[in-house]
Structure formats: structure tokens, C-alpha cells
Amino acid sequence: MIKRFLFAGIVCLSVAACTKEEKSKTSEADAFIDSLINEMTLEEKIGQMTLYTSGWDVTGPTLNENYKEELKAGRVGALFNAHTVAYNTDLQKIAVEETRLGIPLLFGYDVIHGHRTIFPIPLAEACTWNMEIIKETARLSAKEAAASGLNWTFNPMVDISRDPRWGRVAEGSGEDPYLGSLIARARVQGYQGDDLSDPFTLMACVKHFAAYGAAQAGRDYHTVDMSDRVLRETYLPPYKAAIDAGVATVMTSFNEVDGVPASGNKYLLTEILRDEWGFDGFVVTDYTSINEMVPHGVVANEKEAAELAVNAGVDMDMQGSVFNDHLQKLVEEGKVEEKRIDEAVRKILEMKWRLGLFEDPYHYLDEAREKEVLFSKELMDHSLAVAKESIVLLKNDPVNSKKLLPVSKEVKSIALIGPLGDNQQDLLGTWHASGDAGKVVTVLQGLKNEFPDAKITYAQGAGFSGDDRKGFAEAVETARKADLVIMALGENYQQSGEAASRSEIGLPGVQQELLQAVHKTGKPVVALVMAGRPLTIEWIDESIPAVVNTWHLGTMAGQAIAEVLSGKYNPSGKLTMTFPRNVGQIPIFYNMKNTGRPFQAENKYTSKYIDVPNEPLYPFGYGLSYTTFTYNGLKLSKTEVTGNDSLEVEVTVENTGEYAGEEVVQLYIQDLVGSVTRPVKELKGFKKISLKPGESQVVKFTINPDDLKFYTRDMSFKAEPGDFMVTVGPNAAEGDTIKFSLK
């Protein structure tokens, strides 16, 4: 029996880069893991490849007795949906003290945007365009989750998506592979830190590999079909960025790619992930996705599914029990080689070593630390800061020659109306893990905190579904008695996220009718749009003078919103996903391609609709401020470059308004002629700057040779000589343009 745990040092990902001490630790880890694998039975090896969920009851977590027996038999390597130090300590004791080999468990959980303290949904946080604050969110999420006995998060979700009908856009970073790649890297670095044995870190798990965000018709779990070129140029880069950042684990996706479900797709899991990219962690499936290959129709039964999955490169089976049920027989029949099993187990054990679990299985289990960290001031302060920076101002037109925002100190009475006005649960958003709704600051409470001298009244008015209009009369009367109306409208937390695809993405229920009824009073209205996806809000844009997209912002949502409305914080968020005018425009995204008949307003026989403009309601990169910024003097360091040259780009940005503010200066490139057609624009750089009124700054970018590369006609990844356009501006639809040539 192997009950002794050796010192768990850092396992170097590259032996060449290791110090002498690190090489010694790596050799020690290899020797230990070799000896452990040699001691294990085939059944115990397969057990390490099995991940089960813990059960829950109404008073807290309880472990299903069947899983407990499986655990005692050494047939479980990891558990998820189990947390709190006390609960996980009991489970770890079973693994360490009651199994033959005493191999410690991994404890995983969906820590998507916080654990107990909840931060903005990832799509909202992406709108900060601030990699440092995104990395800090991941670090603090890891700190709180690890203090609760966890050591593994199923995040970041890096799926690029151009279809807001898909509810899981809330979990990602939007439509752009360049920005998505930077955010993927920041989140991995934040979760994992520099040393996984630090008890305030988590193993990260990049998901869903691959191309899950391209589900047809925006319907969750649906088919994905695309060329290898589109897969590699648009959908794979964020996963690759996570791999390059050292992510410990990868999760397969539910969808198929090129006719083969991802959990059985050797092209994805071995040829690209292992052979091309050199991924050295382990691959876990999504929930029962091996089992689901049977209804996909690529295998006849779960035994065949197990064979396909493990030979494709899956190392751990989440929840489906397919490996436990069938792998041993498949090895005996010669359909799966035992060395493939050993390879998978080695990857899993290496991660347990790196986490420090062989040195101390209770490394993450400290009740005093748990009590100290949960809901700490550090976490709550960050929740407020990142929530404010995630808010996007969409419109702020004058009413009687004066803008409604920021709210004037002369406003004596405010009517807050809508189902999200005095609501704690739904402000947490989708996938809010173990967030405590009782700690959420509502919009009503935030307004009271920020406007103590104003009379603030609230009426719900309507719900999130159905056609009940009984609250309309109270809402209208409340509006009539106020100087200013703030409408808190949008989705509840269950109307976006997993299994929450919507074919219509306007305000759900009768909320728009409620808004229209209030609008008819003639009172000035500010609309807060609170959702997990871009909504179709064309009527709001046309009719309401001030529109603020607040998303679902988490624990400190109400305070963040109030501080933006008051002007204490000047909004700086920029959209990372295009807002369509209606669902008929979907999919819609900024970096589309031209056609042979590009849009011409006067020519019917060009690419356009006859009932709606081609342009979105709000483009990628869009977001207003209480101040104004002007762009001048765009210039290049040279107008001709060779293949190895870099190019410097400069533009002067000036704050021409009355408030200090932040601006995300964005750089786009267009390759005018290629051996294959190229997008009309591609984001290749951005900088977030802060300027006082009247202050200006010269913003500089460098265009490197790699920025010009793409998959050419023969699928080589390289740049081609020709002309390029550079655009620098405040969003993907505006800016100054200049040309250069690559010789």
C-alpha cells in the first residue's frame, strides 16, 4: 500500500526551463507517480479517470451513498459540486484513509464569476477591456473558492459566439478571437497564479473544446458545422491562448465538429491539442457527454462511446460512469491499450502532485481560513469596482437641452420601476455558484445610498414572463409623482446561461409594454437593461433618452449602478458583442467579410435587407461616456514594410468634455486582398486610457508581423504582400483610417 505522501513541488512544464532544484522536484514527482501507477490495479486506474457529482439536499450537501461506496472502492478520482471545508474534509478522509492506496481527491466546481461573493457575469466583465481587473477577479474567485475546500474550477469558458440567442454567451467574452484570447490568458493566470500548490489558487479548466459557441440557430447542445479555416482563425485562438498560459485542464464540448462529437474527436483532442499545441494537462469531458455520443449517432452504445472517447484523448469522464462501466473490459478485449490508461492516469496524478495533495491531502481544508476569506472586504470592494467598470452607457440624449445622466442633484424624487429594481437573486446572474443572494445590494438600496436626499419610491410593475399587467397602474402612478423615472428591466438569472437559448431576445414578458406605459406619462426616463446577453431593444433606443446596459453584475450590482447614475463613476465599458436590431440580423458581428455585391443604398441588388439596415443597433466596441473624446493626427511610422518589420501607429486622443473619463482606444486592420477573402476589419490592439477634461494623450500601437498572418489558400499561416488599412477609433464602426503596404 502506498500511504506515504512525498513532498509535492512544482512540476515544470518544460524541463529545459527548469532550475536545478525544479528538475530535482520533477524527477521526484516522476518517480513517485511511476511507483504509484505500478502499484495500482486496472480498476483503480480507471477510478482516477472518473469524476462524479456530489448530491445535495435542502439543508446542504450530502454524498449519494452509491458514490460513497464507489469512493471507498477506489473507483473515484475527483468530485464536483462538493464544497465547504467541513464537508470536503469528510470526503477526503474517505479517499485517504479508507481506500487501498489513499490517493487524495480533486474537488471541482463551476466557479464562473465568483464563488460566494459574486462578480459580474464574464460577458459583462469583458466589457471592461481591462486585463488586470479580469485577472484580479479570477485570483479573488480562486482565493474564496479554495478557502471553501475547492482546488479546481471549470472555467474559463472561452467560446467565441456571434449568436446572442445562445444563452451561454453570458459565460464568455463575446465575438472577437483577439480580445477573447487576451481574456482567456488573464483568467488562467488569475486562477492558477505562479504555483498551484499555493492554497489560494485553483486549477483552471478551459472550455468548451471546441467551437461550442457556434451552435446552429443559437440552440444549446446543437450541431456545429464549419470549415477548418474558420475553426482555426476564429474559434481556436482563445483555447490556444489558455494552453500557452499553462492551463491545467481542458473540458470537451457537447457539440460535434466535422461530424464527430468533441468527446470522441481525435482531431481535436490529440492532433491539435496534444500534438500541435503540446498540452500537458488532462482532458475532462463535460457532464455525461461521453454517454451523449449514443444519441448523437456516432456510436451504437456506451461501451463503444467509452472506446471512442479514451482513444481520442479523453482522460476523465464527468458523471457518466462510462469509463468505470466499460474501460476494463475494453482493455481485456484489446480495444484500448493499458498504456493509454496509464497515460491518462499519469496526467491526473501529476496535477494532484502540483496541487500539493500528496504532501498534504488536507492542504485546501482549513476552517479558520474559510471563515476569514469568505465575503471579505477585499472581495466585496473588488465586486463593486469591477461592476462599475463593466457597465456600458448606450445612449444619453438631452431632454430639454440637458442630459439625464449623470442624475442631477436637483432631482428631488425618483421612481424606480421594474422587476429588477428591488431584486437580489436575479442580479447574481447565471452560474452564480454558491452566491448568497441575501448579501446582494439591490438597485433600490444603491439609489438610497447614493441619493440620500431624494425621495425614492418603487413599483415592480411586471414580472419576467406571462402577460400579467396588474402592476401597470401602480407603476404609472408612481412615475407620475416623480421628477425622474429609472426603469430596471431585463432577464432573470434563469433566462440566460446554459439551457437558456431564446428565439426572441427582446425584453421578456410584458416589460416593454410596461416601459411604453410609463413613457406615455411624459416623465424623463432612464432605462437600465439588465441581462445575460445582448437584447433587441430598438424601440428603447428610439424612444428613451438614456439607456444603460448593466448586464448582471453580482453582489454589489445595485451600488455600482447607483454610483454610475450619480456620476461618482464615469462609465467606461465597451461592448464585446454586437447588439442586433432584431433576431433576423443574427448572426451579426463586426469582422464579417465582404461579398461580391457589397451594400449600396441606391442599388437593390446588393447584399442587404429590404426591411432593416445592415448595421447593428450597437456595434462591437461601442460605449459612451459622460465626457467626449476626439481622435486626431493618425499617422504611421512608415507606409511600406517588409515581412520582418514592425510598424508604429500613433493617434492623439483628447478629452473634450466636462468630466474625467476613460476611453478604450481600438486599432483595427483590414487586409484588402488575400489568396482567400479577409474580414472587413480585425481587432489587433487596444489601450484603455484615462484623461482629465482638456487633457490629451498620444496613444501608440505596434503592428507586428504576426498581426498580419492568416490561413492562406493552402492553409499555411503567414502574411501575404499587399495593401492594408489601419483604423483607430472608439468602436468598430467609427475611426480614422490610413493605409500601408507589405512588400
Side-chain angles (χ1 to χ4, degrees):
M1 295 175 66
I2 299 177
K3 289 285 190 176
R4 290 174 56 245
F5 300 108
L6 305 180
F7 175 75
I10 299 171
V11 177
C12 292
L13 296 179
S14 169
V15 174
C18 290
T19 65
K20 184 176 181 180
E21 180 182 2
E22 288 167 340
K23 287 179 181 177
S24 174
K25 291 176 181 177
T26 300
S27 298
E28 187 178 359
D30 288 342
F32 172 71
I33 291 168
D34 283 343
S35 66
L36 185 51
I37 290 174
N38 289 336
E39 179 73 14
M40 296 170 78
T41 65
L42 179 57
E43 183 180 44
E44 287 168 331
K45 293 175 184 176
I46 294 167
Q48 287 299 301
M49 299 169 68
T50 298
L51 169 65
Y52 285 138
T53 181
S54 162
W56 291 74
D57 66 14
V58 294
T59 59
T62 60
L63 190 64
N64 182 299
E65 289 302 315
N66 292 333
Y67 297 165
K68 186 177 287 186
E69 293 308 311
E70 293 274 271
L71 178 55
K72 289 178 180 178
R75 288 166 54 86
V76 180
L79 287 170
F80 69 110
N81 291 340
H83 65 92
T84 71
V85 167
Y87 182 57
N88 286 11
T89 298
D90 290 342
L91 295 173
Q92 195 71 292
K93 282 182 178 178
I94 295 173
V96 173
E97 299 176 14
E98 298 184 41
T99 66
R100 188 179 79 89
L101 295 178
I103 300 173
L105 289 166
L106 295 172
F107 291 106
Y109 200 53
D110 284 288
V111 182
I112 306 300
H113 54 112
H115 177 54
R116 301 300 310 280
T117 307
I118 302 301
F119 306 110
I121 59 170
L123 182 59
E125 188 181 53
C127 295
T128 67
W129 296 59
N130 183 336
M131 297 308 113
E132 288 305 313
I133 206 167
I134 290 170
K135 181 178 177 181
E136 182 69 357
T137 294
R139 185 188 74 82
L140 291 173
S141 297
K143 183 175 183 177
E144 189 176 43
S148 293
L150 296 164
N151 43 46
W152 187 17
T153 175
F154 304 124
N155 208 42
M157 192 278 251
V158 302
D159 300 316
I160 297 300
S161 182
R162 278 84 185 270
D163 194 331
R165 294 173 299 181
W166 190 52
R168 301 197 79 167
V169 298
E171 298 173 54
S173 299
E175 69 189 50
D176 183 68
Y178 174 82
L179 180 61
S181 296
L182 295 178
I183 292 174
R185 181 177 68 187
R187 289 197 169 124
V188 170
Q189 292 171 339
Y191 285 128
Q192 296 190 169
D194 299 323
D195 180 0
L196 279 179
S197 67
D198 181 337
F200 286 127
T201 63
L202 298 176
M203 285 199 312
C205 183
V206 66
K207 65 182 187 184
H208 306 83
F209 193 68
Y212 189 30
Q216 288 180 357
R219 201 173 79 224
D220 216 352
Y221 317 119
H222 199 14
T223 296
V224 167
D225 187 20
M226 65 179 62
S227 67
D228 198 49
R229 185 184 313 282
V230 171
L231 176 69
R232 288 178 175 275
E233 285 193 349
T234 301
Y235 292 91
L236 290 187
Y239 308 111
K240 177 62 161 56
I243 302 305
D244 290 344
V247 73
T249 63
V250 171
M251 182 184 290
T252 64
S253 54
F254 288 118
N255 56 279
E256 65 175 63
V257 174
D258 196 24
V260 181
S263 292
N265 196 310
K266 192 169 185 176
Y267 176 61
L268 291 177
L269 303 181
T270 297
E271 293 178 29
I272 293 178
L273 187 62
R274 297 286 190 195
D275 298 343
E276 286 188 34
W277 294 356
F279 174 62
D280 202 35
F282 70 82
V283 174
V284 62
T285 69
D286 209 338
Y287 200 103
T288 67
S289 69
I290 299 179
N291 315 62
E292 292 165 25
M293 289 197 290
V294 178
H296 264 290
V298 75
V299 289
N301 52 57
E302 290 186 356
K303 183 181 178 185
E304 289 184 10
E307 178 185 350
L308 184 62
V310 74
N311 285 334
V314 169
D315 301 308
M316 185 178 283
D317 172 14
M318 181 189 286
Q319 185 59 15
S321 195
V322 180
F323 282 1
N324 259 346
D325 293 344
H326 299 291
L327 275 191
Q328 185 155 346
K329 185 68 172 175
L330 287 165
V331 172
E332 291 168 357
E333 293 174 352
K335 293 179 179 177
V336 174
E337 295 183 4
E338 188 164 358
K339 70 177 183 180
R340 168 68 192 108
I341 304 297
D342 291 350
E343 181 182 85
V345 173
R346 175 177 299 280
K347 301 295 184 186
I348 294 162
L349 296 179
E350 283 175 354
M351 289 304 165
K352 292 184 177 185
W353 174 281
R354 289 183 63 197
L355 286 165
L357 295 176
F358 285 115
E359 180 184 16
D360 178 6
Y362 306 102
H363 187 46
Y364 282 80
L365 302 169
D366 183 324
E367 287 187 313
R369 184 167 64 214
E370 180 179 34
K371 185 176 181 180
E372 177 185 347
V373 172
L374 265 59
F375 301 111
S376 66
K377 185 176 185 299
E378 179 185 33
L379 275 82
M380 299 293 266
D381 287 349
H382 184 75
S383 180
L384 175 59
V386 69
K388 289 188 290 188
E389 201 164 335
S390 301
I391 291 170
V392 183
L393 178 62
L394 299 177
K395 184 181 178 184
N396 193 22
D397 286 355
V399 175
N400 296 326
S401 74
K402 187 175 182 181
K403 293 182 177 181
L404 293 186
L405 297 176
V407 174
S408 169
K409 302 298 182 184
E410 297 174 5
V411 171
K412 302 301 181 187
S413 58
I414 298 172
L416 175 63
I417 298 171
L420 285 151
D422 192 21
N423 179 320
Q424 293 180 299
Q425 183 76 30
D426 293 310
L427 296 189
L428 291 174
T430 182
W431 276 121
H432 57 251
S434 290
D436 185 345
K439 293 189 180 295
V440 172
V441 179
T442 66
V443 178
L444 179 59
Q445 186 58 56
L447 291 175
K448 288 179 176 178
N449 294 343
E450 197 61 21
F451 300 97
D453 298 328
K455 179 182 179 182
I456 299 172
T457 52
Y458 171 69
Q460 179 176 322
F464 296 103
S465 59
D467 57 3
D468 186 354
R469 300 171 180 81
K470 293 177 183 176
F472 280 26
E474 179 192 7
V476 168
E477 186 60 24
T478 301
R480 285 196 177 112
K481 294 178 179 178
D483 296 336
L484 176 69
V485 180
I486 297 173
M487 302 292 297
L489 307 168
E491 297 178 322
N492 65 30
Y493 81 92
Q494 295 174 312
Q495 288 173 321
S496 59
E498 185 171 357
S501 298
R502 295 177 57 201
S503 66
E504 296 290 344
I505 54 171
L507 293 173
V510 293
Q511 292 181 78
Q512 181 153 316
E513 290 182 43
L514 172 66
L515 175 58
Q516 290 168 336
V518 170
H519 177 252
K520 287 179 182 177
T521 66
K523 293 291 184 175
V525 174
V526 176
L528 306 179
V529 181
M530 312 165 84
R533 54 159 60 85
L535 299 182
T536 50
I537 54 171
E538 192 168 23
W539 184 89
I540 295 177
D541 179 71
E542 291 172 351
S543 308
I544 304 302
V547 185
V548 186
N549 200 78
T550 75
W551 311 103
H552 289 146
L553 294 175
T555 304
M556 296 299 290
Q559 187 62 35
I561 291 167
E563 291 190 15
V564 165
L565 295 178
S566 73
K568 181 179 289 186
Y569 180 83
N570 187 352
S572 63
K574 299 273 191 173
L575 298 177
T576 61
M577 196 167 185
T578 300
F579 273 51
R581 295 175 182 275
N582 58 42
V583 293
Q585 289 186 313
I586 297 169
I588 185 168
F589 47 96
Y590 86 91
N591 53 347
M592 60 183 179
K593 292 186 176 183
N594 250 327
T595 75
R597 294 189 179 187
F599 172 78
Q600 295 175 16
E602 71 285 355
N603 186 349
K604 177 180 179 179
Y605 297 99
T606 57
S607 184
K608 61 182 175 181
Y609 303 100
I610 63 171
D611 60 342
V612 68
N614 283 13
E615 293 76 20
L617 186 61
Y618 305 115
F620 177 85
Y622 176 84
L624 302 177
S625 169
Y626 293 151
T627 193
T628 53
F629 299 96
T630 60
Y631 289 67
N632 290 293
L634 178 63
K635 63 180 181 180
L636 305 176
S637 58
K638 58 186 85 171
T639 57
E640 290 187 0
V641 293
T642 62
N644 296 319
D645 289 344
S646 294
L647 180 67
E648 303 302 319
V649 182
E650 288 187 8
V651 68
T652 300
V653 181
E654 183 181 1
N655 182 340
T656 53
E658 299 177 0
Y659 300 88
E662 295 169 286
E663 172 73 340
V664 179
V665 183
Q666 301 161 44
L667 180 144
Y668 298 87
I669 291 177
Q670 180 186 13
D671 188 345
L672 294 176
V673 178
S675 58
V676 294
T677 58
R678 306 300 304 133
V680 296
K681 264 177 192 173
E682 294 178 276
L683 181 70
K684 292 295 183 179
F686 62 88
K687 291 188 178 179
K688 192 166 189 175
I689 62 172
S690 180
L691 296 174
K692 297 175 183 176
E695 186 179 10
S696 64
Q697 181 176 331
V698 176
V699 181
K700 299 180 180 181
F701 298 97
T702 300
I703 298 174
N704 295 307
D706 285 349
D707 295 326
L708 309 181
K709 292 180 179 178
F710 65 99
Y711 287 94
T712 61
R713 191 174 299 176
D714 65 359
M715 289 302 290
S716 300
F717 188 67
K718 62 185 180 183
E720 294 178 337
D723 293 335
F724 294 79
M725 301 300 295
V726 176
T727 302
V728 179
N731 59 65
E734 300 178 72
D736 297 329
T737 300
I738 195 167
K739 183 187 285 188
F740 73 91
S741 298
L742 174 65
K743 298 298 184 182

